[in-house]
Amino acid sequence: MSNAPDRPTVVRQDLDNVIHPIVPHKQLEQQQLVIVSGKDSTVVDADGREYLDGMAGLWCVNIGYGRTELAEVAADQMRDLAYYPHTAMNRPAAALAEKVNGLLGGDNHVYFVSSGSEANEAAFKFARQYARHEFPQQNRYKTISRYYAYHGTTLATLAAGGMGDRKMKFEPLSGNDFVHVAPPYCYRCPFGLEPTSCELACVKNMETTIQGEGPETVAEVIIEPIMSAVGVAVPPDGYLPAVAELCKKHGVLLHVDEVINGFGRTGRLFAHEHAGIKPDIVTVAKGISSAYLPMAATVVRNTVFQSFLGDPSENRQVNQVNTYGGHPVAAAVALRNIEILLQEKLAERSAENGKYLLDGLRTLTRHKWVGDVRGKGLYAGVELVTDRASKAVMPQAQIKRIVERCQELGVIVGRSGGGRHLGNTLVLAPPLVLTRPEIDRIVSVLDRVIPEICPEAAA
Ligand SMILES: Cc1ncc(COP(=O)(O)O)c(C=O)c1O
């Protein structure tokens, strides 16, 4: 843009006026990163410096940056109809619902919202309302979740999450409606077991919890198939089927959070497909529109949706509303985004290039502070420890410095959000259009930076 404000003007406007999420203001004063454009997997700052974005923004720009076609789709839709509330029908939202439903087996209905947090909130409410209708003699209101999970930033989704650091300034949160169980975080198995012989102790822990709480009080279980927040924790193969079985046994709905995992990230369109399970509720966001516009959805199996049907006098309809749900422009953009994902076979590409990325990252284990390398698709974690035997976590200052140094060298990598306790995993969730030379570059930058920042870690 020729008349765009210069960099110092943006920095002044920003620092004087903006509250940024999660980043300390002081850090912004020092780093002052102003991103102005992007193409494929690369973003460009106001000084013209390019960065290979190993995080696809916030794990979301799945089809890559700079798809001007989506700008045209948005402009066309805006000219026709910019907005009308979803209490009525609109063309793009109907078409998007049909597409998303089809991708998830065709036996669902789709409720649109604008963020992953809202999608999970809506799911909690659907599960409770469903239970109210279907088990009128019981009070099924609890959600079972896992420690270290992240499910969003609102009070209920925070309560559902299992990250103490994120919650502590807002507690007490809601009452006893979110109950936590041990996560399938195999590198640090909460039971000190190995995945080959653990017999899924974490699922047994979940069953003990459901029984202890009383199944007649439990509405749903929420799981993110591969846990992002703790650093891309891939569960043992049998985990998801065992959780699905458990839910069925106790009449509890299974709510799968595909906000990050979905739309090709793990090498399948949806991560739960790897396990061949059929959740009752699937929440999606991020990759549904590759973040070109805010779009998210709560997808509910028809076995659940039927509970919201009936004569208007029965008052069974979903008891919620949000202004931007089913936004026609966001829906039109999301639909085209999904078409691009499918046409370009980006889930398949994620599977193939994900293996290549993982192989590359595994070479980093020659540095002795690399404790674990794990992932699926273009979605990987490199956990750093100061001692492989004890798995002592690498100090925060060093991890932070590694991330900063990679950025100085033009590669953006993320780190797990485990806070002070477990923020010691470098994470990668690049655009699914990432090329093999770009993967080589990420690996070689990490190979250089890890021993540079931690000389003790050198091979
Ligand atoms: C697994 C998961 N669920 C939900 C959310 C919340 O999504 P949003 O930030 O769009 O509200 C996130 C955000 O990163 C997430 O990672």
Side-chain angles (χ1 to χ4, degrees):
M1 273 189 291
S2 54
N3 57 353
D6 58 10
R7 191 179 180 289
T9 307
V10 177
V11 171
R12 184 199 53 74
Q13 283 175 329
D14 184 294
L15 291 176
D16 288 352
N17 299 285
V18 177
I19 299 176
H20 283 268
I22 215 144
V23 188
H25 205 81
K26 267 237 154 348
Q27 187 176 319
L28 288 159
E29 284 169 15
Q30 285 151 12
Q31 285 181 350
Q32 302 185 355
L33 183 65
V34 181
I35 296 293
V36 295
S37 65
K39 181 83 187 117
D40 302 328
S41 299
T42 298
V43 291
V44 184
D45 76 10
D47 297 323
R49 282 207 65 202
E50 294 189 351
Y51 304 84
L52 181 56
D53 184 5
M55 280 304 289
L58 213 44
W59 339 62
C60 52
V61 188
N62 290 14
I63 63 167
Y65 296 92
R67 303 268 190 167
T68 49
E69 183 187 346
L70 291 189
E72 280 145 29
V73 167
D76 286 348
Q77 180 57 43
M78 247 182 237
R79 277 189 277 267
D80 285 348
L81 176 70
Y83 174 76
Y84 195 77
H86 215 198
T87 43
M89 303 179 195
N90 73 66
R91 275 191 224 153
L96 178 63
E98 185 178 60
K99 174 62 86 182
V100 171
N101 178 22
L103 296 176
L104 282 161
D107 54 347
N108 308 280
H109 276 71
V110 182
Y111 182 75
F112 288 118
V113 288
S114 310
S115 69
S117 302
E118 277 180 280
N120 283 330
E121 287 264 357
F124 302 150
K125 291 165 73 186
F126 285 159
R128 291 183 193 204
Q129 190 179 336
Y130 167 82
R132 212 36 89 81
H133 293 172
E134 303 301 319
F135 304 98
Q137 309 306 327
Q138 301 177 354
N139 187 14
R140 286 183 179 259
Y141 64 98
K142 291 175 192 164
T143 290
I144 307 289
S145 173
R146 284 95 47 88
Y147 285 111
Y148 302 143
Y150 182 74
H151 295 297
T153 193
T154 59
L155 287 176
T157 52
L158 261 189
M163 299 171 73
D165 271 39
R166 292 281 172 97
K167 302 200 241 195
M168 74 190 172
K169 294 198 179 168
F170 315 108
E171 285 172 325
L173 296 172
S174 53
N176 66 341
D177 39 0
F178 295 97
V179 181
H180 295 87
V181 299
Y185 176 19
C186 299
Y187 181 63
R188 295 177 191 278
C189 173
F191 306 98
L193 300 170
E194 293 297 324
T196 44
S197 54
C198 68
E199 295 183 0
L200 299 173
C202 47
V203 181
K204 290 187 181 134
N205 171 243
M206 189 181 273
E207 175 147 44
T208 306
T209 307
I210 292 174
Q211 281 168 336
E213 292 292 326
E216 67 287 352
T217 70
V218 180
E220 61 149 23
V221 166
I222 181 172
I223 55 169
E224 186 188 24
I226 297 179
M227 292 178 78
S228 311
V230 76
V232 190
V234 184
D237 283 344
Y239 180 82
L240 262 72
V243 171
E245 198 51 44
L246 187 60
C247 288
K248 204 161 142 211
K249 179 171 160 191
H250 293 290
V252 167
L253 298 182
L254 176 59
H255 165 180
V256 171
D257 179 338
E258 294 265 6
V259 167
I260 287 180
N261 284 201
F263 292 99
R265 172 59 56 206
T266 72
R268 299 290 291 259
L269 219 39
F270 300 100
H272 69 265
E273 289 174 10
H274 291 288
I277 60 161
K278 270 252 187 228
D280 300 294
I281 304 177
V282 176
T283 44
V284 290
K286 299 190 190 261
I288 189 176
S289 62
S290 290
Y292 275 73
L293 279 176
M295 172 52 75
T298 310
V299 185
V300 176
R301 288 276 295 284
N302 285 342
T303 43
V304 176
F305 173 69
Q306 53 76 29
S307 188
F308 302 106
L309 300 175
D311 188 83
S313 62
E314 293 176 70
N315 198 26
R316 294 176 75 92
Q317 68 281 358
V318 300
N319 202 15
Q320 49 189 312
V321 59
N322 57 320
T323 304
Y324 298 123
H327 194 286
V329 182
V333 166
L335 183 60
R336 186 67 199 118
N337 164 69
I338 294 173
E339 286 165 1
I340 291 171
L341 259 165
L342 297 174
Q343 279 160 6
E344 298 184 8
K345 298 190 182 325
L346 293 183
E348 290 87 336
R349 184 160 164 177
S350 167
E352 283 159 24
N353 282 346
K355 285 199 190 93
Y356 185 77
L357 172 67
L358 217 50
D359 285 346
L361 293 175
R362 287 202 175 110
T363 64
L364 300 175
T365 53
R366 67 200 189 87
H367 302 295
K368 64 185 184 207
W369 280 17
V370 173
D372 192 30
V373 175
R374 51 188 182 245
K376 222 177 185 99
L378 280 170
Y379 187 41
V382 178
E383 180 150 356
L384 300 173
V385 295
T386 53
D387 176 48
R388 274 195 189 142
S390 68
K391 301 182 179 172
V393 301
M394 178 181 278
Q396 290 299 301
Q398 266 164 319
I399 296 269
K400 187 164 173 284
R401 193 60 206 116
I402 289 173
V403 172
E404 285 167 1
R405 183 72 186 123
C406 288
Q407 190 173 312
E408 284 162 19
L409 295 172
V411 172
I412 293 174
V413 300
R415 68 185 241 241
S416 56
R420 288 190 308 260
H421 178 46
L422 275 175
N424 64 316
T425 299
L426 299 171
V427 291
L428 292 160
L432 306 184
V433 293
L434 192 76
T435 63
R436 292 205 170 187
E438 288 171 332
I439 292 175
D440 292 342
R441 183 157 161 237
I442 291 173
V443 173
S444 85
V445 164
L446 285 172
D447 195 36
R448 169 175 164 186
V449 169
I450 292 171
E452 186 183 307
I453 303 300
C454 323
E456 311 90 317

